[in-house]
């Protein structure tokens, strides 16, 4: 059997429960795709975005309505080896990737404070602009279930807020554009297993800043996200459902028990209405 076909079948058959069904459930639960959409599938070259591309291809092939896909990869300054790896994997997976260049790595390398945050923001802006230029109304990013949980915890521990990575968002800077996360319910461990089963390897962080630090032996891989991953691994030894419980906690918020919260109308404190509830 052709290798590409075997990889595609593994999604639908062997990993049907762990990956395909969760992908379809996420798309349906959060109403991520409508008939006539033209979606820019953002390919970073990592395992998550590559699997997302295959999932969307399969949905288009087997789905009940038609929508368009453009597979878009922005080269922010990859070294030759990483660019070649992305191209090779796209060929193996039969993903017709369109590349376009930017100088983001060159810009953020000289930023001392939060270069990763700035890089992510700039990359998203470039992708929105290119997607809109190509007539797309949505961009799809490859964030998965673990990304969601880690983001919730980082917000609590380091941002002093309860905030969720949403399954979809309207763009505030690009009118008519929307961001969707089709892998929202898929766990990272299952993505890793799928890669290993199909003998696939993808680029990790391709950042020039990280490469330079590795050459100097100064990378210790202690990012806040990595801290959350390690914390969750520890908590799972005591409660294997801890990630699912964190996720459900942001679905089951009882505002009557919240000291304060903010919305489009402003900030609200429980004392604002506390005495009004007396008999």
């Amino acid at each position: 059997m052709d290798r590409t076909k075997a990889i595609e079948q593994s999604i639908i058959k062997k990993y049907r429960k762990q990956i395909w069904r969760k992908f379809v459930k996420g798309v349906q639960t959060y109403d991520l795709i409508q008939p006539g959409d033209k979606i820019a599938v953002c390919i970073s070259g990592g395992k998550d975005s590559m699997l997302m591309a295959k999932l969307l291809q399969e949905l288009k092939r087997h789905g009940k309505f038609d929508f368009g896909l453009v597979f878009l990869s922005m080269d922010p300054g990859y070294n030759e080896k990483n660019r070649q790896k992305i191209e090779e994997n796209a060929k193996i997976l039969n993903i017709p990737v369109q590349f376009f260049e930017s100088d983001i790595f060159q810009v953020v390398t000289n930023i001392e404070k939060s270069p990763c945050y700035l890089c992510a923001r700039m990359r998203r802006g470039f992708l929105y602009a290119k997607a809109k230029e190509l007539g797309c109304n949505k961009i799809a990013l490859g964030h998965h279930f673990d990304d969601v949980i880690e983001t919730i915890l980082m917000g609590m521990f380091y941002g002093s807020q309860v905030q969720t990575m949403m399954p979809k968002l309207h763009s505030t800077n690009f009118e008519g554009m929307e961001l969707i996360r089709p892998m929202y319910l898929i766990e990272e461990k299952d993505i890793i297993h799928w890669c290993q089963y199909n003998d696939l390897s993808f680029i990790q962080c391709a950042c020039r800043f990280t490469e330079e630090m590795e050459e100097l032996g100064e990378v210790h891989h202690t990012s806040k996200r990595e801290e959350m991953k390690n914390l969750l691994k520890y908590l799972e030894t005591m409660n294997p459902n801890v990630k699912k419980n964190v996720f459900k906690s942001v679905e089951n918020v009882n505002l009557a028990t919240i000291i304060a919260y903010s919305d489009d109308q402003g900030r609200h404190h429980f004392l604002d209405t506390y005495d009004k509830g007396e008999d």
Side-chain angles (χ1 to χ4, degrees):
M1 183 185 294
D2 176 79
R3 188 182 180 194
T4 304
K5 280 292 182 185
I7 292 170
E8 291 170 349
Q9 287 197 9
S10 72
I11 295 172
I12 302 296
K13 294 184 176 180
K14 182 172 179 60
Y15 291 93
R16 187 175 189 86
K17 180 180 179 181
Q18 303 96 320
I19 293 178
W20 179 249
R21 286 181 181 172
K22 290 183 179 180
F23 163 70
V24 173
K25 181 180 179 181
V27 170
Q28 293 177 341
T29 300
Y30 303 112
D31 194 24
L32 300 184
I33 302 174
Q34 286 81 38
D37 278 344
K38 187 175 182 181
I39 304 168
V41 185
C42 300
I43 307 289
S44 68
K47 66 184 190 315
D48 307 324
S49 62
M50 287 292 197
L51 174 57
M52 176 180 67
K54 293 309 299 177
L55 288 165
L56 287 166
Q57 279 183 329
E58 290 300 302
L59 184 64
K60 181 174 173 61
R61 185 178 297 133
H62 302 293
K64 297 179 180 179
F65 58 81
D66 190 40
F67 58 92
L69 295 174
V70 175
F71 301 94
L72 201 57
S73 182
M74 181 195 63
D75 184 339
Y78 294 133
N79 63 37
E80 186 177 344
K81 182 179 178 181
N82 282 327
R83 172 68 178 256
Q84 184 178 358
K85 185 66 173 176
I86 298 172
E87 292 173 346
E88 288 174 354
N89 280 326
K91 186 175 181 180
I92 291 170
L93 296 170
N94 192 27
I95 300 171
V97 177
Q98 297 183 36
F99 286 90
F100 71 100
E101 279 70 33
S102 76
D103 61 353
I104 290 177
F105 281 176
Q106 183 178 345
V107 172
V108 300
T109 298
N110 299 318
I111 303 297
E112 293 184 4
K113 187 176 181 181
S114 303
C116 295
Y117 174 78
L118 178 61
C119 181
R121 289 293 299 268
M122 289 180 68
R123 289 173 76 147
R124 188 173 300 182
F126 272 93
L127 287 165
Y128 265 126
K130 189 64 176 180
K132 190 163 187 177
E133 177 188 319
L134 294 173
C136 299
N137 65 311
K138 293 180 179 178
I139 66 170
L141 300 184
H143 296 118
H144 48 65
F145 186 77
D146 293 72
D147 289 324
V148 177
I149 305 307
E150 292 156 15
T151 299
I152 293 169
L153 294 182
M154 285 192 296
M156 294 174 66
F157 293 173
Y158 295 107
S160 304
Q161 61 185 353
V162 177
Q163 186 170 307
T164 307
M165 176 183 281
M166 299 296 285
K168 64 180 181 179
L169 291 167
H170 288 293
S171 172
T172 55
N173 298 317
F174 295 86
E175 187 177 354
M177 295 292 293
E178 192 174 3
L179 179 157
I180 62 172
R181 295 183 167 105
M183 307 227 309
Y184 200 75
L185 300 179
I186 300 174
E187 294 188 61
E188 185 175 29
K189 64 180 177 62
D190 294 320
I191 299 173
I192 294 171
H193 290 162
W194 174 79
C195 294
Q196 293 171 339
Y197 176 79
N198 288 291
D199 194 25
L200 292 166
S201 63
F202 301 99
I203 67 170
Q204 303 297 320
C205 178
C207 175
R208 287 293 176 88
F209 175 77
T210 302
E211 289 174 358
E212 291 174 4
M213 292 300 100
E214 285 178 340
E215 289 176 3
L216 296 171
E218 297 179 4
V219 174
H220 303 292
H221 300 290
T222 54
S223 68
K224 301 307 179 191
R225 188 168 293 278
E226 194 68 24
E227 287 181 13
M228 296 303 102
K229 285 182 183 291
N230 293 332
L231 174 61
L232 287 165
K233 286 179 183 177
Y234 170 70
L235 293 174
E236 283 182 311
T237 63
M238 295 177 285
N239 177 6
N241 293 317
V242 67
K243 287 191 292 190
K244 293 178 182 178
N245 288 345
V246 171
F247 186 83
K248 285 188 176 296
S249 73
V250 295
E251 289 186 327
N252 297 320
V253 177
N254 182 349
L255 290 181
T257 66
I258 299 297
I259 294 173
Y261 68 94
S262 299
D263 59 20
D264 293 341
Q265 306 302 314
R267 182 173 171 81
H268 309 274
H269 196 281
F270 86 102
L271 287 178
D272 296 341
T273 57
Y274 179 74
D275 290 331
K276 295 178 182 178
E278 292 184 343
D279 294 334

